[in-house]
Amino acid sequence: MRAIFLDRDGVINENRAQHVREWREFAFVPGALAALQRLHAAGLPVFVVTNQAIVGRGVVSAAAVEEIHARMLAQVALHGGNIHDVRYCPHDPAVSCGCRKPAPGMLLELAVRWRVDLRRSYMVGDAWTDIAAGRAVGCRCVLVRTGRGAEQLLLPELHQHPADMVAADLSGAVDWILGCEGLSSPGRPDNHAWRGRLTASSRLTAPIEGR
């Protein structure tokens, strides 16, 4: 099956300078919940892949990150969306691992678990590391300007790992994805106009980075 992979911080929820350490610090990016509902209505499975080095640094526990994810999934479901599964990399960048983006380990693990066709799938993120991870496995990639996205556009790494599309936010990314897939989206304009160009990984399966 094809699927949508999403980074978390800066795409689904607002970035925080001191990271999201507990649920009360988690704030959805405006329009993100509606965008997730549209993906679910279109029949596109959604997966979250996020770097959470604050676990490896001892800032928060793995249990705290998993509680945030459980609450996030519950809120998404309450608003008509669905996140199939979540992976996070808890490792500090100094640790050599295969799961921390730009490495594609989390995407590969999810692809095996859920039989995802990565070359028919999409990666949406706010950093060059997200785009590099997606491109490494053949996904089409969207950079959003929310979170760190606007400043990332100036980095040379993004020229080495170019996105297929730059969107204002997750809602704009969903417009483009649905257009590429030839799918309609309730409440939005005709999307055909948008055609164009664990070791320590944690799993949370719905129905229930870091950075």
Side-chain angles (χ1 to χ4, degrees), residues 21 55 60-70 88 202 204:
R21 295 167 293 181
V55 175
V60 300
S61 66
V65 170
E66 289 162 14
E67 180 188 1
I68 290 169
H69 289 160
Y88 71 90
S202 172
L204 281 168

Side-chain angles (χ1 to χ4, degrees), residues 63-182:
V65 170
E66 289 162 14
E67 180 188 1
I68 290 169
H69 289 160
R71 288 174 176 260
M72 174 183 72
L73 267 60
Q75 285 298 308
V76 169
L78 280 174
H79 287 80
N82 183 62
I83 293 175
H84 246 61
D85 207 345
V86 177
R87 292 290 186 280
Y88 71 90
C89 171
H91 302 117
D92 186 272
V95 174
S96 178
C97 71
C99 53
R100 182 177 173 82
K101 295 173 292 181
M106 290 185 283
L107 285 81
L108 291 169
E109 184 182 350
L110 285 165
V112 171
R113 169 70 178 84
W114 293 100
R115 298 182 182 178
V116 173
D117 183 347
L118 291 166
R119 293 192 175 275
R120 295 179 59 214
S121 299
Y122 299 82
M123 176 72 216
V124 181
D126 71 328
W128 75 266
T129 51
D130 302 313
I131 306 305
R135 295 195 73 86
V137 294
C139 292
R140 281 186 278 185
C141 299
V142 184
L143 182 82
V144 293
R145 292 178 178 271
T146 50
R148 299 176 295 162
E151 62 192 54
Q152 291 275 306
L153 285 168
L154 304 175
L155 297 182
E157 290 88 347
L158 201 58
H159 294 286
Q160 297 168 20
H161 308 281
D164 296 288
M165 173 67 177
V166 176
D169 52 18
L170 181 55
S171 183
V174 170
D175 284 335
W176 184 75
I177 291 167
L178 294 182
C180 289
E181 293 296 313

Side-chain angles (χ1 to χ4, degrees), residues 14-21 25 54 57 210-211:
E14 302 280 3
N15 268 332
R16 288 177 59 90
Q18 300 303 314
H19 311 290
V20 177
R21 295 167 293 181
E25 297 177 341
I54 54 174
R57 293 168 183 155
R211 302 254 201 210

